Amino acid sequence: VREVMMMVWFIGVMGPVFAQAEEPSRACSSIAGYSVVPLPFIPRLITPSGVVAGITSLRRAVVWHRESGVEELSLPEGFNLTEPVAVMPTGEVLIDAFDAKGHKRAAFTYSNHLFVALPGKQNWARGVGAPGMIVGEWVPEGGTTTDAVYWSNTVPHSIGLCCGGVLKAVNERGTMIGDAYDDRGHYHAFSWSLADGQRIIDPTDAYSSA
């Protein structure tokens, strides 16, 4: 199906919108005042300034700028696949990279054809928020299962969950949300901040995901 679909990007008074055209030959050059830009990849995110990031059919991260077009990011050494997570305000691209079998993974920032790895083992970035703040999951030193982590100016911090979990998003005030496991193996949506600590959002006898 993917071979006969074309991703297009609409720009207009209502802001950026992604859409799919079933047959590229039928795509119009403009629709109701929107300009239409064909994108030769699958979009995953768009910034307020109009930068689009996504993946190719080979699962390689790409970035599109209106002025310069498409740039396919190179691969970090030892990895086969990459996915964009965010485009930072500084222009750096936050990506997750993994090997062909999915056994090895790591998170990087990418700029000017250079990769900088986030510290830690088996990292997986999920989102960005406050300046210099990245959230995700990792395997702590000496641990065997993944746990929630955030990086502040690339320095990793564990938030002390009892039984593992993941941080999925953080806002500009530094409040984070994610999923936490309890000692019975149940997972729960929670919020966390330096000021307030952890707060489980749902009833303790239920399952939920942020």
Side-chain angles (χ1 to χ4, degrees):
V1 174
R2 193 169 292 167
E3 284 72 21
V4 298
M5 295 174 66
M6 177 178 68
M7 305 306 297
V8 293
W9 178 42
F10 296 90
I11 299 293
V13 295
M14 295 181 66
V17 178
F18 291 127
Q20 294 179 336
E22 293 183 356
E23 296 183 20
S25 62
R26 295 183 182 177
C28 300
S29 60
S30 65
I31 299 176
Y34 288 88
S35 61
V36 181
V37 181
L39 298 177
F41 58 88
I42 303 169
R44 288 292 181 83
L45 60 96
I46 185 169
T47 71
S49 62
V51 178
V52 183
I55 58 172
T56 68
S57 58
L58 297 177
R59 296 194 70 182
R60 305 281 177 82
V62 294
V63 176
W64 179 89
H65 297 81
R66 177 176 288 275
E67 298 79 13
S68 55
V70 176
E71 176 192 3
E72 182 172 336
L73 279 57
S74 55
L75 290 171
E77 185 176 354
F79 295 90
N80 306 90
L81 309 168
T82 54
E83 294 183 349
V85 178
V87 178
M88 316 285 271
T90 57
E92 294 175 303
V93 184
L94 177 64
I95 68 165
D96 287 323
F98 41 102
D99 63 12
K101 295 184 178 180
H103 296 160
K104 177 184 177 183
R105 66 185 192 180
F108 297 85
T109 57
Y110 174 91
S111 180
N112 296 322
H113 306 285
L114 295 175
F115 290 96
V116 177
L118 293 182
K121 184 173 64 173
Q122 291 290 88
N123 297 336
W124 197 249
R126 293 296 192 100
V128 299
M133 190 79 73
I134 300 171
V135 296
E137 56 186 302
W138 70 342
V139 176
E141 194 66 36
T144 57
T145 59
T146 58
D147 200 3
V149 63
Y150 72 91
W151 291 267
S152 179
N153 296 319
T154 73
V155 178
H157 301 271
S158 176
I159 64 172
L161 298 178
C162 82
C163 311
V166 57
L167 287 168
K168 293 183 172 181
V170 54
N171 65 19
E172 294 181 354
R173 297 183 300 277
T175 301
M176 309 173 195
I177 59 168
D179 302 342
Y181 284 90
D182 62 24
D183 55 6
R184 298 175 297 169
H186 296 177
Y187 54 88
H188 308 277
F190 75 98
S191 65
W192 186 92
S193 69
L194 280 170
D196 301 324
Q198 182 183 355
R199 182 171 67 88
I200 298 295
I201 296 173
D202 72 331
T204 57
D205 59 348
Y207 291 86
S208 64
S209 179

